[in-house]
Amino acid sequence: LLAAPLLADTAAVYGSVGLGVSAGVDLAVAGGVLGVVAGTAWLSAWRAGRLRTVDALAVGRTPAARRGHWTARPAARLPVPRAVGLGLARPFHRPARAASMVAAVVFGTAAVTFATGMAASLGEVIAAKNHNAADVTVGAERTERPVPVGPGAQQVTAARAAAVKAAIASQPGTRDQYGSAETEAKVAGVTERVPVIAYDGDASWGGFVMVSGRWIRAAGEAVVATPFLTASGAQVGDTVTLTVNGSPVRARIVGEVFDVGEQGMRVFTDLASLRTAVPDLHPADRAVRLAPGTDADAYVKHLNAALKPLGVSATDTKSVNGSDDVVALDTLAATLTLILVVVAGLGVLGGVVLDTHERIRDLGIHKALGMTPRQTVTLVIASVVLPGLTGGALGVPLGLAVHRVVMPAMGDSAGLRLPDVVLDVYRTPELLLLAVSGTAIAVLGALLPAGWAARVRTATALRTE
């Protein structure tokens, strides 16, 4: 009974020089003879008298495997606080656990990258589908009854269309304007009649996003969306015949535009292309682009005073153009991102909790040697910095790849080809911020165990086995 503590001390001594605890115990027990035991006890007592306090405290929980010890010395030489150096070396002591943390951060960073890109892409889709980059829109005055639109609506006279155009042109602050009129046409290969939108003026600045080709520049040209090309079997560069009001109108397709209105079956052309077939077709609505520095509210107020006798009114487009959709989309993206970050942070939390509990006696030793609670928190958080940086560096490219696969697939499911502006939504500063978000996720997961490690008492930590 008297020799038992000395045998344990002997095991600890052998463990401290690298043979391992089990080797020390086996060596002590293998004697089996009282003389050997007595000699070992004497040597142990003589050794225990000269053993330093720090060495004795450091022996109890030293793992047999020396994984990560090769990183301890370089980390100690880094020009950083000692607690930071110890934390940076921790992932190399438990490579498998560090790999699980990296995997959690990769998932979180990739998910956040994809969610951010998807929200930005859908925002571009909303902007592209509206086809209205104008500052002010002019159309029929709003009444309690719905205003009829399309071919069945009351025709706009040439005189009123010209008067509206002139009133807008004379208004101070007007930079550009174009008018639009709508009719229908029959197209070979398409069973239903297709809407035809004809423009009076250059509408290239009106918010139309091209998938391929270019916007119309002259009479006899047209642009269409992917569903129209699919249904008619035509391609960009082909000439199609539009039967409008019983008259054939030949139009050359010069571009593919991103359009979801009327299931993507609309045809956009110049008003002059339809003048022979529909001589009485005149613009019912006009889009206006303001000169830089023009007050939109004041412009609309003065323009409405001039347009009131003509039965039309002006509206500030920016105040009503898809704002509710954008807000709902941003809210959904923020909620999704938050959920994904929390899930990834929980993955890191599990790994840090296991690592902190396993190394609690080492933390007790550090506390006994003077480590403050703030330094303890720094050590634990620093231990997840490298997994966070690694996971961020791997997660961002993965998120980009997922975005590049999912978004075109979503477009294909709707029969649409997405333009580059919808896919190329990432900018270099955003990518750098997303890469750093991996470290933020890791730190988020380490905060709780770091606080627990800082609060644990030194004596409690040293008694932990």
Side-chain angles (χ1 to χ4, degrees):
L1 291 176
L2 292 174
L6 298 179
L7 292 176
D9 226 12
T10 302
V13 171
Y14 280 103
S16 67
V17 297
L19 294 181
V21 176
S22 59
V25 173
D26 291 342
L27 182 60
V29 176
V33 181
L34 183 59
V36 176
V37 172
T40 304
W42 174 258
L43 291 175
S44 299
W46 180 66
R47 174 70 177 85
R50 297 189 302 122
L51 189 64
R52 294 188 306 161
T53 304
V54 174
D55 294 335
L57 290 173
V59 167
R61 287 290 293 266
T62 302
R66 300 181 63 84
R67 292 191 300 268
H69 286 202
W70 60 274
T71 62
R73 229 168 246 185
R77 296 194 183 100
L78 292 175
V80 294
R82 181 61 176 160
V84 176
L86 290 172
L88 294 177
R90 277 301 304 151
F92 301 97
H93 290 260
R94 289 290 184 269
R97 187 171 297 157
S100 67
M101 293 185 192
V102 171
V105 175
V106 167
F107 164 77
T109 306
V112 170
T113 301
F114 169 70
T116 302
M118 183 181 66
S121 295
L122 294 180
E124 292 292 342
V125 168
I126 292 175
K129 79 178 182 65
N130 289 329
H131 300 322
N132 198 350
D135 299 305
V136 176
T137 301
V138 177
E141 286 187 340
R142 296 182 179 180
T143 62
E144 294 182 358
R145 295 181 179 180
V147 178
V149 296
Q154 181 180 1
Q155 293 297 318
V156 179
T157 63
R160 193 179 79 161
V164 172
K165 182 177 181 180
I168 295 174
S170 63
Q171 181 70 23
T174 300
R175 180 181 177 184
D176 293 302
Q177 63 168 309
Y178 65 83
S180 60
E182 183 178 349
T183 185
E184 290 183 347
K186 184 69 177 174
V187 180
V190 181
T191 56
E192 301 291 336
R193 288 181 174 271
V194 298
V196 179
I197 312 297
Y199 294 99
D200 172 22
D202 180 19
S204 59
W205 54 267
F208 297 91
V209 179
M210 304 304 298
V211 177
S212 63
R214 60 173 176 82
W215 184 252
I216 52 179
R217 297 174 182 169
E221 296 181 344
V223 296
V224 295
T226 309
F228 180 91
L229 294 176
T230 303
S232 63
Q235 297 179 352
V236 174
D238 293 346
T239 299
V240 296
T241 300
L242 308 174
T243 304
V244 181
N245 201 23
S247 301
V249 176
R250 291 177 60 82
R252 180 173 175 267
I253 301 176
V254 296
E256 179 184 353
V257 68
F258 180 78
D259 179 53
V260 297
E262 300 292 340
Q263 291 76 49
M265 295 301 294
R266 296 191 292 189
V267 177
F268 302 93
T269 187
D270 192 274
L271 187 58
S273 304
L274 307 179
R275 187 59 65 201
T276 303
V278 194
D280 294 331
L281 186 63
H282 302 285
D285 301 298
R286 303 200 72 86
V288 183
R289 181 165 56 164
L290 302 180
T294 303
D295 186 342
D297 292 336
Y299 180 91
V300 169
K301 180 179 179 180
H302 289 92
L303 182 58
N304 275 329
L307 294 176
K308 188 172 182 61
L310 301 175
V312 295
S313 62
T315 305
D316 184 356
T317 309
K318 303 299 183 183
S319 64
V320 296
N321 195 13
S323 58
D324 293 340
D325 292 339
V326 173
V327 171
L329 181 62
D330 291 343
T331 303
L332 177 62
T335 304
L336 177 62
T337 301
L338 178 61
I339 293 174
L340 295 173
V341 168
V342 170
V343 171
L346 289 176
V348 177
L349 172 66
V352 178
V353 167
L354 288 175
D355 188 74
T356 304
H357 275 280
E358 183 181 86
R359 303 293 296 181
I360 187 60
R361 193 169 189 275
D362 291 346
L363 290 175
I365 294 172
H366 292 314
K367 285 174 175 286
L369 296 177
M371 179 175 283
T372 65
R374 179 175 297 181
Q375 290 173 324
T376 304
V377 172
T378 302
L379 186 153
V380 176
I381 291 179
S383 68
V384 301
V385 169
L386 289 181
L389 290 175
T390 304
L394 296 175
V396 169
L398 179 60
L400 292 175
V402 173
H403 178 266
R404 273 288 178 175
V405 172
V406 172
M407 292 308 299
M410 292 173 63
D412 292 340
S413 65
L416 297 168
R417 282 208 307 154
L418 299 181
D420 291 339
V421 69
V422 175
L423 299 177
D424 300 334
V425 293
Y426 296 99
R427 303 293 181 265
T428 301
E430 296 172 354
L431 292 177
L432 294 177
L433 185 62
L434 288 170
V436 175
S437 69
T439 304
I441 292 173
V443 171
L444 177 66
L447 286 178
L448 189 62
W452 174 81
R455 291 191 301 270
V456 69
R457 294 189 306 163
T458 304
T460 303
L462 291 176
R463 286 199 303 267
T464 302
E465 292 295 341

